[in-house]
Amino acid sequence: LLKKISELDLLESSRKSSQHDANNASCAMQSRYDTFREDAQYLAGAFAKQQKKLHEVINSIKTLLKTKHDASNGVVLGSFVIIKNLDTKESKHYVLVPDGSGGHVFCVNGNNIYALSIVTPISKAIIMKKEGDIADLMVGNCTNEWELVSVQ
């Protein structure tokens, strides 16, 4: 959450800078070939769109942090899941997060916990599964079986 908030602050600063450049261009649009101001306005608009998306992600994470869910219903958004590869016995720790919030790794008590976007193939394979269920995950051309060891 803090990383997303710092990204939002950086975007706001960049948007303001681009808008300032567009508004204060000394030779802005003196001819139809002078596109500096127009480019700066497009850039400011792009930053504003990114900010809107980040606001949505931040609000989703805040809601997720406040929401308690029932693990007996299986894996859902916000679930903490430990899965184990049945062939290699390798274990992975995941927390399912809203789209746009994944890709981060947290180390807790020596375990890497991966923030996994709800739209990833792994999430889709384990969604609504319960502790003890088996999920088939495609890796390249191979299918691996993973047991859901823990769902919280």
Side-chain angles (χ1 to χ4, degrees), residues 21-39:
D21 290 347
N23 293 341
N24 298 309
S26 61
C27 302
M29 298 299 284
Q30 289 185 357
S31 77
R32 65 184 181 142
Y33 303 107
D34 182 9
T35 60
F36 176 78
R37 182 176 183 163
E38 187 175 357
D39 288 346

Side-chain angles (χ1 to χ4, degrees), residues 8 10-16 18-19 40-56:
L8 183 62
L10 179 62
L11 278 172
E12 176 62 13
S13 173
S14 298
R15 185 196 63 76
K16 284 181 178 178
S18 295
Q19 191 63 54
Q41 287 173 329
Y42 282 128
L43 186 58
F47 286 136
K49 285 181 183 178
Q50 287 179 311
Q51 280 182 286
K52 182 180 178 193
K53 179 68 174 169
L54 270 176
H55 274 297
E56 292 169 2

Side-chain angles (χ1 to χ4, degrees), residues 7 15 39 50 66 75 87 114:
E7 286 178 35
R15 185 196 63 76
D39 288 346
Q50 287 179 311
K66 293 177 187 175
V75 177
D87 292 328
Y114 299 89

Side-chain angles (χ1 to χ4, degrees), residues 120-138:
T120 63
I122 295 172
S123 291
K124 290 176 181 178
I126 64 174
I127 201 76
M128 300 309 295
K129 298 240 186 240
K130 297 179 181 175
E131 200 168 291
D133 286 350
I134 305 297
D136 294 324
L137 302 176
M138 290 292 295

Side-chain angles (χ1 to χ4, degrees), residues 92-143:
K92 297 277 187 180
H93 299 75
Y94 296 110
V95 62
L96 272 65
V97 297
D99 186 22
S101 304
H104 305 287
V105 181
F106 309 94
C107 187
V108 178
N109 297 329
N111 293 312
N112 285 333
I113 301 173
Y114 299 89
L116 190 64
S117 172
I118 196 76
V119 298
T120 63
I122 295 172
S123 291
K124 290 176 181 178
I126 64 174
I127 201 76
M128 300 309 295
K129 298 240 186 240
K130 297 179 181 175
E131 200 168 291
D133 286 350
I134 305 297
D136 294 324
L137 302 176
M138 290 292 295
V139 179
N141 293 329
C142 300
T143 300

